Amino acid sequence: MDGTLVDNTPYHFKSWQAFFKKHGLGELAESTYKTSISGVPIIETLRGLFPDADEATLKGYQNEKETYYREIYAPFLRPINGLENFLSELKDADIKMAMASSATMGDINFILNKIPIRKDFEAIIDGSRVTKGKPNPQIFLKTAEELNADPANCVVFEDSLAGIKAANAAGMKVVGITTSHKADQLQPSNLVIDDYSTLTVQKLAALFE
């Protein structure tokens, strides 16, 4: 979802910066965010930052970070260019779709309550449904299972480095989207796009030829 349905990565970064500053964790570099935090479940990042904190405290930190993010991103929330038309084309072609996101259901609902695409997905797997975050492939394999699909017949859309590693480890085709990284960094991918405006079902089918 993050960085693939909506271009919200800059706002997640800003909210993490605010969180780091408030809790005296030092300056968060953008490079650190993109390589170590982006694509990873929030709770896993928080466990690393606060190894002695109990789960209730970590949950409070998670809610705090998410509140920062929603407040700064809400005025700018919109789908990535071409997304809604592309999803409609996939649906018309009877291609099963699912969302596999490290985000919480709170963050997922925040997006889907503003962009009317929830009905396009046959399954939504959030970060609480997995025990191993990206770059482990668990979330993608679980999603394929929910769709009753062979992983080898699946395509993952990813903007994060951890997500691309996870998708490849799952044995799936990978389409990288350049919302967070340059095209040459989103490797190995089968295809790299800037948005969905020129992507078609035929171009996806060609990945399997």
Side-chain angles (χ1 to χ4, degrees):
M1 178 184 73
D2 295 333
T4 56
L5 301 182
V6 289
D7 189 2
N8 57 355
T9 299
Y11 302 93
H12 272 302
F13 174 52
K14 288 178 183 178
S15 65
W16 273 114
Q17 282 185 309
F19 183 88
F20 267 56
K21 184 175 181 179
K22 178 180 178 181
H23 293 280
L25 297 169
E27 192 79 20
L28 176 62
E30 187 173 7
S31 58
T32 301
Y33 169 74
K34 287 185 174 181
T35 57
S36 303
I37 296 176
S38 179
V40 177
I42 296 175
I43 203 71
E44 285 194 19
T45 299
L46 291 170
R47 286 192 185 111
L49 294 171
F50 304 100
D52 298 325
D54 59 28
E55 288 301 304
T57 301
L58 293 174
K59 192 71 176 175
Y61 287 149
Q62 176 175 293
N63 291 337
E64 180 185 328
K65 187 272 166 191
E66 288 184 333
T67 298
Y68 285 154
Y69 155 68
R70 292 172 194 167
E71 287 176 352
I72 63 175
Y73 183 50
F76 306 98
L77 200 167
R78 60 182 59 84
I80 288 175
N81 186 38
L83 173 72
E84 291 168 295
N85 287 339
F86 177 61
L87 293 181
S88 295
E89 186 180 347
L90 291 175
K91 197 164 187 179
D92 290 344
D94 292 324
I95 293 173
K96 293 181 179 180
M97 291 179 280
M99 184 193 299
S101 174
S102 299
T104 64
M105 276 310 301
D107 268 354
I108 290 172
N109 288 329
F110 168 67
I111 298 297
L112 296 186
N113 287 344
K114 297 288 183 70
I115 303 174
I117 57 174
R118 190 188 302 266
K119 66 184 184 303
D120 293 329
F121 300 108
E122 295 191 25
I124 294 176
I125 308 294
D126 70 300
S128 71
R129 298 277 304 277
V130 296
T131 56
K132 299 174 183 176
K134 304 170 191 175
N136 188 285
Q138 186 186 53
I139 192 167
F140 294 135
L141 295 173
K142 182 179 284 288
T143 304
E145 186 178 349
E146 291 237 348
L147 292 178
N148 195 28
D150 183 340
N153 293 332
C154 295
V155 181
V156 173
F157 291 83
E158 262 294 348
D159 72 306
S160 73
L161 302 183
I164 287 192
K165 288 179 181 177
N168 278 290
M172 301 178 176
K173 302 294 185 186
V174 187
V175 175
I177 184 165
T178 60
T179 51
S180 303
H181 299 275
K182 294 179 180 178
D184 61 354
Q185 296 174 302
L186 296 171
Q187 299 300 329
S189 294
N190 300 95
L191 178 68
V192 177
I193 60 173
D194 295 322
D195 60 31
Y196 297 96
S197 59
T198 61
L199 190 58
T200 63
V201 172
Q202 289 74 24
K203 286 183 180 179
L204 285 189
L207 300 181
F208 295 91
E209 292 176 356

mmCIF file of all heavy atoms in Angstrom, residues 148-187:
data_model
loop_
_atom_site.group_PDB
_atom_site.id
_atom_site.type_symbol
_atom_site.label_atom_id
_atom_site.label_comp_id
_atom_site.label_asym_id
_atom_site.label_seq_id
_atom_site.Cartn_x
_atom_site.Cartn_y
_atom_site.Cartn_z
ATOM 1 N N ASN A 148 -5.628 -18.489 -3.153
ATOM 2 C CA ASN A 148 -5.544 -19.830 -3.747
ATOM 3 C C ASN A 148 -4.760 -19.767 -5.049
ATOM 4 O O ASN A 148 -5.145 -20.352 -6.068
ATOM 5 C CB ASN A 148 -6.943 -20.414 -3.987
ATOM 6 C CG ASN A 148 -6.904 -21.909 -4.256
ATOM 7 O OD1 ASN A 148 -6.004 -22.608 -3.789
ATOM 8 N ND2 ASN A 148 -7.866 -22.394 -5.018
ATOM 9 N N ALA A 149 -3.623 -19.044 -4.987
ATOM 10 C CA ALA A 149 -2.805 -18.827 -6.175
ATOM 11 C C ALA A 149 -1.406 -19.393 -5.978
ATOM 12 O O ALA A 149 -0.859 -19.358 -4.880
ATOM 13 C CB ALA A 149 -2.717 -17.335 -6.478
ATOM 14 N N ASP A 150 -0.841 -19.911 -7.053
ATOM 15 C CA ASP A 150 0.552 -20.357 -7.043
ATOM 16 C C ASP A 150 1.452 -19.119 -6.992
ATOM 17 O O ASP A 150 1.289 -18.213 -7.819
ATOM 18 C CB ASP A 150 0.819 -21.157 -8.330
ATOM 19 C CG ASP A 150 2.224 -21.739 -8.381
ATOM 20 O OD1 ASP A 150 3.121 -21.250 -7.662
ATOM 21 O OD2 ASP A 150 2.431 -22.682 -9.166
ATOM 22 N N PRO A 151 2.384 -19.045 -6.042
ATOM 23 C CA PRO A 151 3.279 -17.881 -5.983
ATOM 24 C C PRO A 151 3.953 -17.566 -7.319
ATOM 25 O O PRO A 151 4.161 -16.395 -7.646
ATOM 26 C CB PRO A 151 4.309 -18.282 -4.920
ATOM 27 C CG PRO A 151 3.562 -19.206 -4.014
ATOM 28 C CD PRO A 151 2.644 -19.978 -4.925
ATOM 29 N N ALA A 152 4.270 -18.600 -8.097
ATOM 30 C CA ALA A 152 4.934 -18.390 -9.388
ATOM 31 C C ALA A 152 4.048 -17.660 -10.387
ATOM 32 O O ALA A 152 4.530 -17.136 -11.396
ATOM 33 C CB ALA A 152 5.380 -19.729 -9.969
ATOM 34 N N ASN A 153 2.741 -17.617 -10.115
ATOM 35 C CA ASN A 153 1.802 -16.934 -11.007
ATOM 36 C C ASN A 153 1.407 -15.552 -10.484
ATOM 37 O O ASN A 153 0.465 -14.941 -10.996
ATOM 38 C CB ASN A 153 0.536 -17.782 -11.188
ATOM 39 C CG ASN A 153 0.815 -19.069 -11.941
ATOM 40 O OD1 ASN A 153 1.738 -19.129 -12.744
ATOM 41 N ND2 ASN A 153 0.036 -20.101 -11.665
ATOM 42 N N CYS A 154 2.118 -15.074 -9.458
ATOM 43 C CA CYS A 154 1.765 -13.804 -8.826
ATOM 44 C C CYS A 154 2.732 -12.693 -9.215
ATOM 45 O O CYS A 154 3.906 -12.941 -9.498
ATOM 46 C CB CYS A 154 1.772 -13.949 -7.305
ATOM 47 S SG CYS A 154 0.514 -15.081 -6.654
ATOM 48 N N VAL A 155 2.216 -11.472 -9.210
ATOM 49 C CA VAL A 155 3.024 -10.267 -9.425
ATOM 50 C C VAL A 155 2.906 -9.387 -8.195
ATOM 51 O O VAL A 155 1.801 -9.115 -7.725
ATOM 52 C CB VAL A 155 2.547 -9.470 -10.653
ATOM 53 C CG1 VAL A 155 3.432 -8.227 -10.851
ATOM 54 C CG2 VAL A 155 2.546 -10.322 -11.900
ATOM 55 N N VAL A 156 4.040 -8.962 -7.669
ATOM 56 C CA VAL A 156 4.079 -8.055 -6.520
ATOM 57 C C VAL A 156 4.472 -6.665 -6.998
ATOM 58 O O VAL A 156 5.394 -6.519 -7.803
ATOM 59 C CB VAL A 156 5.105 -8.548 -5.469
ATOM 60 C CG1 VAL A 156 5.271 -7.516 -4.361
ATOM 61 C CG2 VAL A 156 4.669 -9.880 -4.881
ATOM 62 N N PHE A 157 3.773 -5.656 -6.489
ATOM 63 C CA PHE A 157 4.148 -4.261 -6.736
ATOM 64 C C PHE A 157 4.818 -3.739 -5.476
ATOM 65 O O PHE A 157 4.236 -3.801 -4.398
ATOM 66 C CB PHE A 157 2.908 -3.428 -7.066
ATOM 67 C CG PHE A 157 2.299 -3.783 -8.394
ATOM 68 C CD1 PHE A 157 1.435 -4.861 -8.509
ATOM 69 C CD2 PHE A 157 2.608 -3.054 -9.530
ATOM 70 C CE1 PHE A 157 0.879 -5.207 -9.731
ATOM 71 C CE2 PHE A 157 2.055 -3.387 -10.768
ATOM 72 C CZ PHE A 157 1.193 -4.474 -10.863
ATOM 73 N N GLU A 158 6.028 -3.236 -5.622
ATOM 74 C CA GLU A 158 6.806 -2.820 -4.443
ATOM 75 C C GLU A 158 7.589 -1.543 -4.709
ATOM 76 O O GLU A 158 8.066 -1.310 -5.816
ATOM 77 C CB GLU A 158 7.787 -3.925 -4.018
ATOM 78 C CG GLU A 158 7.300 -4.799 -2.888
ATOM 79 C CD GLU A 158 7.136 -4.079 -1.569
ATOM 80 O OE1 GLU A 158 7.615 -2.920 -1.429
ATOM 81 O OE2 GLU A 158 6.529 -4.663 -0.654
ATOM 82 N N ASP A 159 7.724 -0.741 -3.650
ATOM 83 C CA ASP A 159 8.577 0.450 -3.727
ATOM 84 C C ASP A 159 9.760 0.360 -2.775
ATOM 85 O O ASP A 159 10.702 1.126 -2.890
ATOM 86 C CB ASP A 159 7.772 1.701 -3.363
ATOM 87 C CG ASP A 159 7.453 1.750 -1.874
ATOM 88 O OD1 ASP A 159 6.878 0.761 -1.365
ATOM 89 O OD2 ASP A 159 7.794 2.746 -1.219
ATOM 90 N N SER A 160 9.702 -0.575 -1.817
ATOM 91 C CA SER A 160 10.748 -0.654 -0.791
ATOM 92 C C SER A 160 11.766 -1.738 -1.121
ATOM 93 O O SER A 160 11.457 -2.733 -1.781
ATOM 94 C CB SER A 160 10.129 -0.932 0.588
ATOM 95 O OG SER A 160 9.682 -2.272 0.695
ATOM 96 N N LEU A 161 12.984 -1.548 -0.645
ATOM 97 C CA LEU A 161 14.039 -2.534 -0.872
ATOM 98 C C LEU A 161 13.729 -3.823 -0.133
ATOM 99 O O LEU A 161 13.940 -4.924 -0.652
ATOM 100 C CB LEU A 161 15.391 -1.967 -0.428
ATOM 101 C CG LEU A 161 15.817 -0.657 -1.116
ATOM 102 C CD1 LEU A 161 17.209 -0.245 -0.651
ATOM 103 C CD2 LEU A 161 15.784 -0.803 -2.630
ATOM 104 N N ALA A 162 13.207 -3.705 1.103
ATOM 105 C CA ALA A 162 12.827 -4.900 1.864
ATOM 106 C C ALA A 162 11.726 -5.664 1.154
ATOM 107 O O ALA A 162 11.724 -6.902 1.116
ATOM 108 C CB ALA A 162 12.369 -4.504 3.276
ATOM 109 N N GLY A 163 10.782 -4.942 0.546
ATOM 110 C CA GLY A 163 9.683 -5.585 -0.158
ATOM 111 C C GLY A 163 10.132 -6.299 -1.417
ATOM 112 O O GLY A 163 9.639 -7.386 -1.741
ATOM 113 N N ILE A 164 11.067 -5.708 -2.145
ATOM 114 C CA ILE A 164 11.581 -6.360 -3.359
ATOM 115 C C ILE A 164 12.319 -7.650 -3.001
ATOM 116 O O ILE A 164 12.173 -8.675 -3.669
ATOM 117 C CB ILE A 164 12.470 -5.389 -4.149
ATOM 118 C CG1 ILE A 164 11.563 -4.355 -4.805
ATOM 119 C CG2 ILE A 164 13.323 -6.123 -5.174
ATOM 120 C CD1 ILE A 164 12.176 -3.479 -5.827
ATOM 121 N N LYS A 165 13.097 -7.613 -1.918
ATOM 122 C CA LYS A 165 13.766 -8.829 -1.461
ATOM 123 C C LYS A 165 12.744 -9.896 -1.083
ATOM 124 O O LYS A 165 12.902 -11.074 -1.420
ATOM 125 C CB LYS A 165 14.665 -8.511 -0.263
ATOM 126 C CG LYS A 165 15.912 -7.719 -0.604
ATOM 127 C CD LYS A 165 16.729 -7.425 0.651
ATOM 128 C CE LYS A 165 17.963 -6.602 0.324
ATOM 129 N NZ LYS A 165 18.730 -6.251 1.551
ATOM 130 N N ALA A 166 11.687 -9.490 -0.404
ATOM 131 C CA ALA A 166 10.648 -10.436 0.021
ATOM 132 C C ALA A 166 9.923 -11.038 -1.174
ATOM 133 O O ALA A 166 9.656 -12.248 -1.212
ATOM 134 C CB ALA A 166 9.658 -9.732 0.948
ATOM 135 N N ALA A 167 9.600 -10.211 -2.158
ATOM 136 C CA ALA A 167 8.887 -10.695 -3.343
ATOM 137 C C ALA A 167 9.728 -11.691 -4.129
ATOM 138 O O ALA A 167 9.227 -12.728 -4.584
ATOM 139 C CB ALA A 167 8.494 -9.511 -4.225
ATOM 140 N N ASN A 168 11.006 -11.397 -4.278
ATOM 141 C CA ASN A 168 11.892 -12.336 -4.971
ATOM 142 C C ASN A 168 12.041 -13.636 -4.190
ATOM 143 O O ASN A 168 12.059 -14.723 -4.778
ATOM 144 C CB ASN A 168 13.257 -11.680 -5.206
ATOM 145 C CG ASN A 168 13.273 -10.778 -6.431
ATOM 146 O OD1 ASN A 168 13.214 -11.245 -7.552
ATOM 147 N ND2 ASN A 168 13.332 -9.480 -6.200
ATOM 148 N N ALA A 169 12.134 -13.522 -2.875
ATOM 149 C CA ALA A 169 12.255 -14.720 -2.044
ATOM 150 C C ALA A 169 10.994 -15.575 -2.118
ATOM 151 O O ALA A 169 11.053 -16.798 -1.937
ATOM 152 C CB ALA A 169 12.539 -14.332 -0.592
ATOM 153 N N ALA A 170 9.852 -14.938 -2.408
ATOM 154 C CA ALA A 170 8.588 -15.669 -2.540
ATOM 155 C C ALA A 170 8.461 -16.331 -3.902
ATOM 156 O O ALA A 170 7.511 -17.088 -4.148
ATOM 157 C CB ALA A 170 7.408 -14.727 -2.315
ATOM 158 N N GLY A 171 9.400 -16.057 -4.814
ATOM 159 C CA GLY A 171 9.340 -16.644 -6.149
ATOM 160 C C GLY A 171 8.313 -15.999 -7.046
ATOM 161 O O GLY A 171 7.787 -16.624 -7.968
ATOM 162 N N MET A 172 8.026 -14.705 -6.806
ATOM 163 C CA MET A 172 7.007 -13.991 -7.566
ATOM 164 C C MET A 172 7.646 -12.992 -8.531
ATOM 165 O O MET A 172 8.782 -12.585 -8.340
ATOM 166 C CB MET A 172 6.063 -13.254 -6.608
ATOM 167 C CG MET A 172 5.355 -14.188 -5.631
ATOM 168 S SD MET A 172 4.299 -13.273 -4.466
ATOM 169 C CE MET A 172 3.554 -14.660 -3.569
ATOM 170 N N LYS A 173 6.902 -12.605 -9.559
ATOM 171 C CA LYS A 173 7.341 -11.525 -10.425
ATOM 172 C C LYS A 173 7.269 -10.223 -9.622
ATOM 173 O O LYS A 173 6.422 -10.076 -8.738
ATOM 174 C CB LYS A 173 6.457 -11.411 -11.668
ATOM 175 C CG LYS A 173 6.393 -12.678 -12.516
ATOM 176 C CD LYS A 173 7.737 -13.014 -13.143
ATOM 177 C CE LYS A 173 7.611 -14.220 -14.072
ATOM 178 N NZ LYS A 173 8.920 -14.661 -14.591
ATOM 179 N N VAL A 174 8.153 -9.274 -9.966
ATOM 180 C CA VAL A 174 8.218 -8.030 -9.205
ATOM 181 C C VAL A 174 8.153 -6.824 -10.140
ATOM 182 O O VAL A 174 8.917 -6.726 -11.098
ATOM 183 C CB VAL A 174 9.529 -7.940 -8.382
ATOM 184 C CG1 VAL A 174 9.491 -6.715 -7.477
ATOM 185 C CG2 VAL A 174 9.752 -9.205 -7.575
ATOM 186 N N VAL A 175 7.219 -5.929 -9.839
ATOM 187 C CA VAL A 175 7.159 -4.633 -10.502
ATOM 188 C C VAL A 175 7.548 -3.584 -9.469
ATOM 189 O O VAL A 175 6.866 -3.404 -8.462
ATOM 190 C CB VAL A 175 5.751 -4.329 -11.061
ATOM 191 C CG1 VAL A 175 5.711 -2.914 -11.642
ATOM 192 C CG2 VAL A 175 5.356 -5.356 -12.113
ATOM 193 N N GLY A 176 8.668 -2.906 -9.699
ATOM 194 C CA GLY A 176 9.103 -1.843 -8.813
ATOM 195 C C GLY A 176 8.486 -0.521 -9.231
ATOM 196 O O GLY A 176 8.301 -0.268 -10.420
ATOM 197 N N ILE A 177 8.157 0.321 -8.258
ATOM 198 C CA ILE A 177 7.606 1.637 -8.552
ATOM 199 C C ILE A 177 8.467 2.692 -7.867
ATOM 200 O O ILE A 177 8.841 2.553 -6.704
ATOM 201 C CB ILE A 177 6.117 1.736 -8.138
ATOM 202 C CG1 ILE A 177 5.539 3.099 -8.544
ATOM 203 C CG2 ILE A 177 5.907 1.439 -6.678
ATOM 204 C CD1 ILE A 177 4.012 3.145 -8.498
ATOM 205 N N THR A 178 8.810 3.726 -8.614
ATOM 206 C CA THR A 178 9.866 4.650 -8.195
ATOM 207 C C THR A 178 9.401 5.777 -7.273
ATOM 208 O O THR A 178 9.827 6.924 -7.407
ATOM 209 C CB THR A 178 10.545 5.273 -9.428
ATOM 210 O OG1 THR A 178 9.544 5.996 -10.195
ATOM 211 C CG2 THR A 178 11.211 4.228 -10.294
ATOM 212 N N THR A 179 8.542 5.476 -6.320
ATOM 213 C CA THR A 179 8.103 6.504 -5.377
ATOM 214 C C THR A 179 9.125 6.724 -4.265
ATOM 215 O O THR A 179 9.162 7.804 -3.671
ATOM 216 C CB THR A 179 6.756 6.113 -4.748
ATOM 217 O OG1 THR A 179 6.852 4.774 -4.247
ATOM 218 C CG2 THR A 179 5.629 6.195 -5.764
ATOM 219 N N SER A 180 9.933 5.703 -3.970
ATOM 220 C CA SER A 180 10.885 5.801 -2.861
ATOM 221 C C SER A 180 12.336 5.682 -3.300
ATOM 222 O O SER A 180 13.235 6.168 -2.609
ATOM 223 C CB SER A 180 10.601 4.708 -1.826
ATOM 224 O OG SER A 180 9.281 4.776 -1.336
ATOM 225 N N HIS A 181 12.576 4.999 -4.409
ATOM 226 C CA HIS A 181 13.940 4.749 -4.880
ATOM 227 C C HIS A 181 14.015 4.939 -6.388
ATOM 228 O O HIS A 181 13.017 4.822 -7.089
ATOM 229 C CB HIS A 181 14.373 3.312 -4.542
ATOM 230 C CG HIS A 181 14.395 3.013 -3.073
ATOM 231 N ND1 HIS A 181 15.465 3.297 -2.269
ATOM 232 C CD2 HIS A 181 13.454 2.454 -2.263
ATOM 233 C CE1 HIS A 181 15.194 2.929 -1.022
ATOM 234 N NE2 HIS A 181 13.985 2.420 -1.007
ATOM 235 N N LYS A 182 15.215 5.193 -6.881
ATOM 236 C CA LYS A 182 15.426 5.283 -8.313
ATOM 237 C C LYS A 182 15.339 3.890 -8.931
ATOM 238 O O LYS A 182 15.532 2.886 -8.245
ATOM 239 C CB LYS A 182 16.785 5.918 -8.606
ATOM 240 C CG LYS A 182 16.876 7.370 -8.169
ATOM 241 C CD LYS A 182 18.251 7.955 -8.464
ATOM 242 C CE LYS A 182 18.327 9.408 -8.030
ATOM 243 N NZ LYS A 182 19.671 9.993 -8.252
ATOM 244 N N ALA A 183 15.075 3.853 -10.231
ATOM 245 C CA ALA A 183 14.852 2.587 -10.931
ATOM 246 C C ALA A 183 16.005 1.610 -10.754
ATOM 247 O O ALA A 183 15.790 0.407 -10.553
ATOM 248 C CB ALA A 183 14.599 2.844 -12.416
ATOM 249 N N ASP A 184 17.247 2.116 -10.811
ATOM 250 C CA ASP A 184 18.384 1.196 -10.729
ATOM 251 C C ASP A 184 18.576 0.610 -9.339
ATOM 252 O O ASP A 184 19.309 -0.360 -9.165
ATOM 253 C CB ASP A 184 19.669 1.875 -11.198
ATOM 254 C CG ASP A 184 20.035 3.094 -10.357
ATOM 255 O OD1 ASP A 184 19.246 3.491 -9.478
ATOM 256 O OD2 ASP A 184 21.124 3.657 -10.581
ATOM 257 N N GLN A 185 17.901 1.181 -8.341
ATOM 258 C CA GLN A 185 17.979 0.644 -6.981
ATOM 259 C C GLN A 185 16.922 -0.434 -6.736
ATOM 260 O O GLN A 185 17.063 -1.240 -5.816
ATOM 261 C CB GLN A 185 17.797 1.766 -5.955
ATOM 262 C CG GLN A 185 18.897 2.823 -5.997
ATOM 263 C CD GLN A 185 18.596 3.988 -5.079
ATOM 264 O OE1 GLN A 185 17.565 4.651 -5.203
ATOM 265 N NE2 GLN A 185 19.484 4.238 -4.138
ATOM 266 N N LEU A 186 15.882 -0.443 -7.552
ATOM 267 C CA LEU A 186 14.764 -1.372 -7.362
ATOM 268 C C LEU A 186 15.035 -2.686 -8.087
ATOM 269 O O LEU A 186 14.268 -3.118 -8.944
ATOM 270 C CB LEU A 186 13.466 -0.733 -7.864
ATOM 271 C CG LEU A 186 13.010 0.511 -7.104
ATOM 272 C CD1 LEU A 186 11.846 1.182 -7.825
ATOM 273 C CD2 LEU A 186 12.616 0.166 -5.672
ATOM 274 N N GLN A 187 16.114 -3.327 -7.712
ATOM 275 C CA GLN A 187 16.527 -4.551 -8.389
ATOM 276 C C GLN A 187 16.786 -5.670 -7.382
ATOM 277 O O GLN A 187 17.161 -5.404 -6.238
ATOM 278 C CB GLN A 187 17.785 -4.269 -9.210
ATOM 279 C CG GLN A 187 17.607 -3.226 -10.293
ATOM 280 C CD GLN A 187 16.549 -3.580 -11.324
ATOM 281 O OE1 GLN A 187 16.325 -4.751 -11.617
ATOM 282 N NE2 GLN A 187 15.890 -2.579 -11.874
#
